[in-house]
Amino acid sequence: MILTSAALAVFIVAYALIATERVHRVAAALGGVAGMVVLGLVDAETAFFHEHTGVDWNVIFLLFGMMIIVGVLKQTGLFEFLALWAAQKSGGEPYKLLVLLVLITAAVSPILDNVTCVLLVAPVTLSVTRRLGLPPAPYLISLILASNIGGMSTLIGDPPNIIIGSRAGLSFTDFLVHALPLTIILLVLFVVMAKWLFRKDLDHVADVHGLDDLSPGDAITNVRMLRKCLVVLVLVMVAFGLHTVLHLDPSVVAMMGAGAMVLVSRTEPEEFLEEVEWDTLAFFMALFVLVGALVQVGVIGAISEWAAEAMGGRELLGATALLFGSGIVGAFVDNIPYTTATVPVVEEMVASTSASGADSPLWWAFVFGADLGGNATAVAAGANVVVLGIAAKAGEPISFWGFTKYGVVVTAMTLVVAWGWVYLRYFAFV
């Protein structure tokens, strides 16, 4: 009992430091792991090799492979091209520009993950809005909201999807079937809603002087390299979709794609490795070990049993609690640590029902709640923190409440629509 209480205390302190950002999240997570080591709950076997208490290497290498792919693609100028194209096609119309940037972000985030997407698109958006004399805040906020919604549609689009997919055995195709249609519906609603949300900011008149002189094609630094990289990217996406047929895990597909991308582009290691977010990978690994320690002492098991008993086989109740509960909790806590800590509980809830894997509405309610809850506040998801940091560094700061007043409204709308989707798809006609 003392050991369990001590482990829970270490976890709560580490989690609180991560949530409040009093110290860097990697330092907080690694400090928590150190505490678990001192308690004797973590060793090399449990941390690196154990299936239930160790690092999920499929998640880590999937992220690592995709980061390398993005690092190579970034050098081609593709993302700058897309932003400049949007500026030119908008003709200086603020709302049209916002819609085009949202659509570009929503199209890219399912492929490259939402954090990577905003890292590439946000700086160019700042440049375009400045060139047109438009306030950047509504465009940057829209990028965040669109990336979190768009990332929900694929296995690799949002970190929670990768974690849940690995644990639940959900394939790339499963996400396309179960999550993509809802994502499209939510994006259409958001585009319509954005005109009302940002109505004051979209009244600005753009400075269209020099707009016709923009040449998006000049942003492409190496056309031949871009063509080769796009061929590899398409093959990677196809392999993700067919990984159950090919008997290749998504992590293996990502690593093979990264190797092929480096090979065809002839990029030097220092060029693509500097784009790898090492702190994100370290954070993930530490979180897996932290949660694994709670599994060791039985905390996760006890919570799982309680949740399964409380649900009592009533899947609609469980799905509703997971969707809205994840959305509310995810508003205050980064959805990555929340998902890591909660996924074993959901696994036990699913085990107490007749459906499993992609057929279980509980997994999809969890996916939708964790992803959409990331839009609620400025600290709810990695993409939010990244874009606000870029804005502040560029001298265009967006305050916590400056983002949150829009994020809460969009999150509430998307969660209600997502609940309706879950009900109609899994319960209404059963």
Side-chain angles (χ1 to χ4, degrees):
M1 185 63 184
I2 295 176
L3 185 62
T4 300
S5 299
L8 197 55
V10 169
F11 181 83
I12 291 172
V13 170
Y15 214 107
L17 291 174
I18 293 169
T20 58
E21 298 181 301
R22 297 295 295 273
V23 298
H24 194 283
R25 62 178 187 168
V26 177
L30 289 175
V33 171
M36 297 300 188
V37 171
V38 170
L39 293 174
L41 296 174
V42 173
D43 56 24
E45 178 67 29
T46 59
F48 303 127
F49 305 109
H50 199 282
E51 182 180 358
H52 298 294
T53 63
V55 176
D56 190 330
W57 295 110
N58 283 314
V59 171
I60 300 302
F61 281 103
L62 175 56
L63 285 170
F64 179 62
M66 293 308 297
M67 287 174 182
I68 292 177
I69 288 173
V70 170
V72 176
L73 272 176
K74 184 178 180 181
Q75 297 175 46
T76 67
L78 173 63
F79 305 102
E80 289 82 355
F81 166 84
L82 291 172
L84 291 174
W85 173 85
Q88 195 171 60
K89 289 296 180 182
S90 71
E93 270 189 59
Y95 178 63
K96 190 173 180 180
L97 175 63
L98 185 144
V99 171
L100 287 171
L101 289 173
V102 162
L103 293 178
I104 289 171
T105 304
V108 173
S109 59
I111 301 172
L112 302 181
D113 91 65
N114 51 10
V115 174
T116 305
C117 172
V118 296
L119 271 171
L120 297 168
V121 180
V124 186
T125 299
L126 270 168
S127 175
V128 169
T129 52
R130 282 175 172 173
R131 186 162 187 161
L132 296 176
L134 297 171
Y139 300 92
L140 293 175
I141 292 171
S142 295
L143 290 187
I144 296 171
L145 300 173
S147 69
N148 286 331
I149 295 172
M152 188 178 77
S153 62
T154 67
L155 174 66
I156 58 173
D158 206 358
N161 297 8
I162 300 172
I163 298 168
I164 297 168
S166 177
R167 195 64 175 261
L170 305 178
S171 70
F172 191 86
T173 306
D174 289 333
F175 273 86
L176 296 182
V177 172
H178 292 264
L180 180 59
L182 173 61
T183 301
I184 294 171
I185 293 169
L186 293 179
L187 283 170
V188 171
L189 290 174
F190 171 65
V191 166
V192 174
M193 198 176 185
K195 191 165 189 176
W196 171 76
L197 281 174
F198 303 109
R199 56 192 179 280
K200 294 180 180 178
D201 296 300
L202 296 177
D203 284 340
H204 285 77
V205 178
D207 178 9
V208 295
H209 178 70
L211 191 61
D212 292 335
D213 297 331
L214 283 177
S215 180
D218 292 342
I220 303 298
T221 57
N222 190 326
V223 176
R224 188 178 178 185
M225 175 180 166
L226 175 60
R227 287 173 180 164
K228 291 179 179 179
C229 290
L230 288 178
V231 169
V232 173
L233 183 62
V234 169
L235 291 174
V236 169
M237 292 300 109
V238 171
F240 276 136
L242 298 175
H243 80 91
T244 53
V245 177
L246 300 173
H247 303 294
L248 292 173
D249 287 330
S251 56
V252 175
V253 172
M255 292 300 293
M256 290 175 65
M261 192 80 81
V262 170
L263 190 63
V264 301
S265 66
R266 297 184 180 180
T267 308
E268 294 298 321
E270 57 269 19
E271 292 178 307
F272 63 80
L273 287 177
E274 71 177 1
E275 299 297 332
V276 175
E277 298 166 45
W278 300 106
D279 57 339
T280 298
L281 297 179
F283 181 57
F284 266 90
M285 288 188 279
L287 281 178
F288 283 128
V289 176
L290 261 179
V291 175
L294 293 187
V295 172
Q296 282 275 86
V297 296
V299 171
I300 297 296
I303 295 173
S304 301
E305 289 176 13
W306 173 83
E309 288 176 9
M311 185 177 66
R314 293 168 291 179
E315 283 188 284
L316 178 57
L317 175 63
T320 302
L322 280 172
L323 196 151
F324 287 104
S326 298
I328 293 169
V329 175
F332 303 100
V333 180
D334 189 295
N335 58 10
I336 295 173
Y338 167 73
T339 303
T340 308
T342 309
V343 72
V345 177
V346 182
E347 189 173 34
E348 188 67 29
M349 293 172 68
V350 171
S352 69
T353 66
S354 58
S356 62
D359 295 326
S360 173
L362 299 180
W363 282 125
W364 296 112
F366 186 31
V367 168
F368 302 152
D371 288 350
L372 297 175
N375 270 335
T377 68
V379 296
N384 312 19
V385 177
V386 167
V387 173
L388 266 58
I390 291 172
K393 192 174 181 180
E396 301 283 355
I398 301 170
S399 69
F400 179 92
W401 291 111
F403 172 85
T404 303
K405 66 183 179 182
Y406 299 109
V408 167
V409 175
V410 172
T411 299
M413 180 272 290
T414 53
L415 285 176
V416 170
V417 174
W419 183 88
W421 173 266
V422 169
Y423 177 75
L424 289 174
R425 178 150 191 173
Y426 303 103
F427 298 101
F429 305 107
V430 176

